[in-house]
Structures are given as structure tokens and as C-alpha cells.
Amino acid sequence: MEIVHVSAECYPVAKAGGLGDVVGALPRFQQELGNITKVIMPMYRTTFLYKHDWEVVHKAGANLGFSWFDFTIIKEKSDLLGFELYLVDINGLLDREKVYGYDDDTERFCAFQIATINWINAWSKLPDVVHVHDHHTALIPFMMQHCYGFERLKSIPTVLTIHNAQYQGIFGWNKTIYIPQWDSWKRGMLEWNGNINPLATGIKCAWKVTTVSNTYLHEMRSMSNGLEPLFEYEKGKSMGILNGIDFKVWNPETDNYLNNHFDKTSSEAGKRANKNILCETFGLDKEKPLFVFIGRLVGEKAADLLPQAIIDSFNYIGRKMNFLILGSGENEVEEKLNQLKSISQKDFNVYIGYNEKLSHQMYAGADFLLMPSRVEPCGLNQMYAMRYGTIPLVRKTGGLMDTVIDLGEENGYGITFNEASVGNITHAIFRAVKLFHEKQSFHSLRRKIMELDFSWDHSAQQYVDLYKNL
Ligand code: ADP
Ligand code: GLC
């Protein structure tokens, strides 16, 4: 089977979050299952671009509204990622340092989608399935079915995976000209609550819709930023497939970012050595349990609750633990966390920014990972943490609920709580500190979580079975 993934992110080419991790791994596993797998993504100005060799495979132009743009498709020559990687170069629009966050993101991703299907339309042999990810690529199923220029693509099955329904890419009808000439009877396919809503369009037009965990699939019917009735209506064609993690990248025995490698049997010494480095670097106390948070400092991740939860932990549990935070996001949260540095007694620090290497070192050196998310479609951090022997403290939501069982339950191995609230987080920290001092159970738990199987094998096969059905 020939599978085409279209995505805004793909690790290690460009990553802003978990979408990048998934699109960097899933295609490789599908290729290993005997398929021809291609990933098409924008050409940003990233280090990966300059470090590898490329060949030009297609050059053409297209309209974005009334303006014309030229585009070039380049291919990474050696297929070093384990699948065919193609980048869409559109001068002035895509070739920027960041993936998102520009005022003209609507124009950028419309142009990317138009260039992508223009190119696919020029292939002599068409692919068996086109798999798009999140709102940045969710207009493609509409374009393939209802734009006059792409009649040839109409019968190719499309799959939309929703990694995060909070972001929908909404734009106004004044920009409708960005969508190549389309059948005006299909206006309803583009519309949601008075606007053009690319994610809603993808849900309506894709042959199949998947989300990245089962629990999130159900949650979206009651909590998806305005799309609830649509998810309810389209439930028949929707399914949840849990993400896996890529053991080639996330393996404490071989991880290039780590100074000290370890496996299950050497985890005690290995983790301690990694923790020591972190504590020295960030001025923390090596003897106390180390709690980390890694992620976007946004409401979705309940990052706004962290400063108070840390203060309450110090006040009510005592100065019995360290906190180290890595992330960036809302200014107010960043500021509050920065201010907390002044009350640190060698027990708090924060790194504001994005740092791939540090994230790996933190998964390896921490004792506990905090994930109090309000919304978490899947969540990869908790799985990385467990693979590296770090016990997760998670709120019971979305994929966190599907991957972490509380210690109090049969076969449990993590700490879970119901509400995204300061009280619930602080109580979870209290339970963790207690566990940390029960040395024997703590170490055997560590070994247990390192053995859990969160591999991609099963999920990659589930996607392939789904394509076959289509
Ligand atoms: P989301 O995609 O919603 O941000 P996930 O848990 O699926 O959440 O994935 C987040 C990914 O991004 C993980 O690989 C995590 O390690 C990484 N990450 C998040 N913030 C940072 C950061 N500031 N520095 C380095 N890596 C980060
Ligand atoms: C999104 C979600 C996250 C998920 C990731 C990969 O960014 O917020 O929960 O793990 O996509 O699917």
C-alpha cells in the first residue's frame, strides 16, 4: 500500500510538540510493515534542512486567492528517517524559523495544502490513502472532493487524525478565495458557527476520523471547543488509536542526549547519576525527590496552577522536594515561575524555552513527572517518563487516563487525580514524597514502569488495518 502523510510537523525535521513526535515515528513503522510511506511537510528554515542532502522532484505554481506563488518539492535523498520525506518550499511563506505563530498562518497553511495536492495530482500513480493531521492539513479532504481542479483525487480515501481539537484554524469568509475553485453547493462543508473552520471541514469530509486515545474520542463529544455536536454526529466514522512512543529515539540505554545510560537493572545508579548532573546544573538538592514538568506553559496543560501548587507544597508538605520546570508559553505563567526562583532554597528552578536535550535529561534524571493537564488528547511525556523510570503524576483525562493506572488500583503504577486544581496537584505531590521514602516499593515501581509496552507496533498496524478497510 502507498500511504501519504501530510503534516505541519515531523521530528527531527521540525517539532513544536507531540504531533512532531508522532509523524516522525508512525510512518517509519508503517514502512517497516511493508508499505511505501511518504511524509509531505512544509520546508521551514531548520537545522535539519541544512545538514542533509536534497533533490528537487517537482516545480510548479498555483494561486492563493488572487496571488500566484511558485513552489518546489524537495526530497531527502537517502530516506534516512525510514520513509520518504518531501518538503514543500514556498518562498516567503513557509521558509521561516518557527512552525507556527505568524499572523499569516492561514495563508501559509492554505498555500501548503494547495501545493501538496497540486503535486499529488501530477503523480502518474496515485497513492492508496492520504492521511492528514490536525487543522493545518484538514482542508485537504475537502479540496480532494469538492475543488474542480482535483477530480482525479476524489476516490482516494482520506484519514484525518486529530491530535488536538482545541486548535481549529478558524478564518473568515473573506478568505474563502484561498480555497481553489470549489463547488459552491458544498459551502456547508466549510462552515462551522459562521466561519470557515478547517478542523470541522476535515471531520466532515475525511473518510475516517481518528483521535489519539479512546478516552479523548469520548471526551470530545462533550468538550471540544465548540465542535461537540459535530463529534457526536460523526461518531460512526470516528475511532481512537493510542499513540505509541519511538524506542529508537526514547531509549535510556542509547539516548545520545544522556550522559549516563541505564536500563531496568541499572536504573537506580543510572538515574541517580543523571539526577546529580541536573541538580548541580540547576542548583537543586540531590537528596530530595525531584519533580519535573516539561511542556507548553498553557491553560490546556494546567501550567497556570503550577506556581501555587509549588508554593502550597512547600508550605503544607514542607521543603521536602525539588521542582524543575521546562517550558514556554503564556507570559503570565512564565513570569510567575521566574519569580518563584527568588524563594528557592535549592529546591526550585525553571528553564523558559524549548530544549530537546534538556527534556531527555529531565525524563532520565527526575523521580516524578507532573502532568495536571485540563485537556490531554494522548500525551507522550508520561510515556517517555515511564520508559525512563520516572513516575508520572497525572490528571485523569484523555490519553493520561488510558496510559496511567493509579497505584491504589490493581496493577497500578502511577499517581492519578481527578481535578486540575492546586489542591489535587499538591495532594498528588504529598503521595509521591511518601512513596519516595518507601525505598523498596519506589525502586521496584521504577523497574515496573520501565517495562511497560507503549510501542508503536500495535497502533501502526491499527492504522494500516483502517486504511485497508477504506
Ligand atoms: P503536546 O503535543 O500537547 O505539547 P505531548 O505530550 O504529546 O504534548 O508532547 C510534547 C512533546 O514536546 C514531548 O516530546 C515533550 O518532551 C516535548 N516538549 C514540550 N515542551 C518542551 C520544551 N520546552 N522543551 C523540549 N521539549 C518539549
Ligand atoms: C497533541 C496533544 C497531545 C498528543 C499529541 C500527539 O499535541 O496535545 O496530547 O500527545 O498531539 O498526538
Side-chain angles (χ1 to χ4, degrees):
M1 197 178 339
E2 189 167 319
I3 305 161
V4 171
H5 288 273
V6 192
S7 168
E9 299 178 36
C10 171
Y11 180 83
V13 193
K15 161 176 165 183
L19 170 64
D21 287 346
V22 171
V23 181
L26 171 65
R28 197 181 81 236
F29 284 88
Q30 293 181 331
Q31 179 87 15
E32 282 166 9
L33 287 171
N35 305 288
I36 299 171
T37 315
K38 304 180 177 190
V39 171
I40 307 175
M41 67 178 296
M43 192 198 90
Y44 310 107
R45 252 188 4 241
T46 63
T47 352
F48 188 92
L49 179 66
Y50 300 113
K51 281 196 176 157
H52 296 91
D53 292 326
W54 306 87
E55 61 183 308
V56 173
V57 293
H58 187 74
K59 263 178 177 293
N63 268 98
L64 177 70
F66 300 121
S67 47
W68 179 260
F69 67 91
D70 292 316
F71 65 89
T72 306
I73 312 284
I74 57 173
K75 177 181 184 293
E76 194 280 316
K77 277 186 175 170
S78 62
D79 296 340
L80 88 147
L81 298 184
F83 48 82
E84 295 176 29
L85 171 69
Y86 298 91
L87 307 186
V88 179
D89 178 16
I90 306 179
N91 262 331
L93 272 182
L94 298 179
D95 54 342
R96 314 231 178 117
E97 268 162 35
K98 282 192 306 177
V99 176
Y100 320 108
Y102 300 99
D103 291 342
D104 59 351
D105 277 356
T106 299
E107 286 75 6
R108 299 172 72 226
F109 288 106
C110 281
F112 166 61
Q113 295 176 86
I114 293 168
T116 299
I117 58 166
N118 260 286
W119 176 47
I120 297 178
N121 201 26
W123 295 5
S124 52
K125 184 185 169 297
L126 294 176
D128 294 301
V129 61
V130 173
H131 188 155
V132 300
H133 298 264
D134 277 352
H135 74 83
H136 332 94
T137 55
L139 288 172
I140 286 181
F142 175 88
M143 293 182 186
M144 288 169 63
Q145 276 162 49
H146 306 304
C147 289
Y148 295 121
F150 307 110
E151 293 275 327
R152 200 175 154 239
L153 308 182
K154 221 173 188 149
S155 56
I156 304 175
T158 50
V159 175
L160 164 69
T161 294
I162 299 175
H163 297 260
N164 199 331
Q166 295 302 107
Y167 306 97
Q168 300 167 7
I170 301 170
F171 55 92
W173 284 101
N174 57 332
K175 294 189 176 178
T176 177
I177 48 163
Y178 291 163
I179 301 167
Q181 223 189 359
W182 48 279
D183 176 356
S184 57
W185 285 95
K186 302 297 179 209
R187 187 184 159 97
M189 292 295 186
L190 292 172
E191 202 267 338
W192 190 255
N193 285 342
N195 288 307
I196 296 180
N197 183 319
L199 190 67
T201 301
I203 298 167
K204 294 177 199 178
C205 297
W207 291 30
K208 197 88 190 176
V209 175
T210 71
T211 66
V212 288
S213 72
N214 254 321
T215 299
Y216 187 57
L217 177 72
H218 295 291
E219 284 174 353
M220 282 196 305
R221 290 182 204 148
S222 56
M223 190 188 64
S224 53
N225 215 2
L227 296 183
E228 298 79 5
L230 185 58
F231 281 115
E232 179 61 36
Y233 183 75
E234 297 288 13
K235 64 181 174 205
K237 70 170 183 191
S238 311
M239 70 183 284
I241 300 180
L242 191 70
N243 289 332
I245 61 172
D246 188 349
F247 291 159
K248 214 165 136 187
V249 181
W250 297 95
N251 181 352
E253 289 174 57
T254 52
D255 189 329
N256 285 333
Y257 289 129
L258 301 188
N259 296 308
N260 300 284
H261 292 133
F262 59 95
D263 61 12
K264 200 170 51 107
T265 47
S266 59
S267 61
E268 220 168 300
K271 281 188 70 72
R272 162 134 316 262
N274 286 300
K275 178 176 174 179
N276 286 351
I277 298 176
L278 275 181
C279 289
E280 273 158 29
T281 314
F282 289 96
L284 302 169
D285 185 337
K286 295 174 194 169
E287 300 314 317
K288 294 175 184 169
L290 175 59
F291 291 80
V292 298
F293 172 96
I294 300 165
R296 295 179 287 121
L297 299 175
V298 295
E300 221 182 299
K301 303 280 178 193
D304 51 305
L305 304 177
L306 290 174
Q308 194 58 47
I310 291 167
I311 294 172
D312 280 15
S313 299
F314 286 153
N315 287 344
Y316 301 126
I317 306 170
R319 312 251 3 169
K320 294 182 182 165
M321 70 304 271
N322 297 298
F323 295 98
L324 179 60
I325 316 281
L326 164 63
S328 63
E330 287 162 13
N331 285 341
E332 200 184 327
V333 181
E334 291 184 359
E335 265 166 39
K336 278 193 183 158
L337 289 168
N338 268 329
Q339 282 162 10
L340 274 188
K341 283 189 198 168
S342 63
I343 65 153
S344 168
Q345 297 175 13
K346 283 195 81 192
D347 49 14
F348 173 83
N349 213 332
V350 56
Y351 179 108
I352 301 290
Y354 188 93
N355 189 326
E356 190 73 30
K357 181 175 182 181
L358 178 57
S359 74
H360 286 241
Q361 292 172 335
M362 286 169 69
Y363 291 118
D367 297 300
F368 299 99
L369 175 91
L370 286 167
M371 252 182 126
S373 311
R374 292 193 174 90
V375 182
E376 198 59 82
C378 176
L380 299 170
N381 298 17
Q382 78 282 12
M383 295 192 262
Y384 297 148
M386 290 190 269
R387 179 80 175 137
Y388 284 60
T390 297
I391 296 162
L393 276 59
V394 306
R395 176 171 170 247
K396 281 196 210 165
T397 187
L400 297 175
M401 195 148 152
D402 296 355
T403 51
V404 183
I405 305 174
D406 192 87
L407 273 172
E409 291 168 37
E410 204 183 334
N411 291 323
Y413 45 81
I415 294 179
T416 67
F417 46 97
N418 290 321
E419 306 294 332
S421 68
V422 170
N424 271 224
I425 301 172
T426 314
H427 184 252
I429 293 172
F430 169 78
R431 288 180 66 197
V433 173
K434 200 160 160 272
L435 174 68
F436 180 79
H437 294 291
E438 292 158 9
K439 285 293 173 208
Q440 237 177 347
S441 355
F442 179 69
H443 290 303
S444 69
L445 193 59
R446 242 181 196 172
R447 288 190 289 272
K448 178 173 173 173
I449 55 178
M450 288 183 74
E451 276 183 337
L452 296 173
D453 180 9
F454 293 114
S455 64
W456 264 111
D457 302 311
H458 180 60
S459 311
Q461 184 63 53
Q462 271 184 294
Y463 279 111
V464 171
D465 292 343
L466 179 153
Y467 305 151
K468 281 188 182 153
N469 281 333
L470 293 179

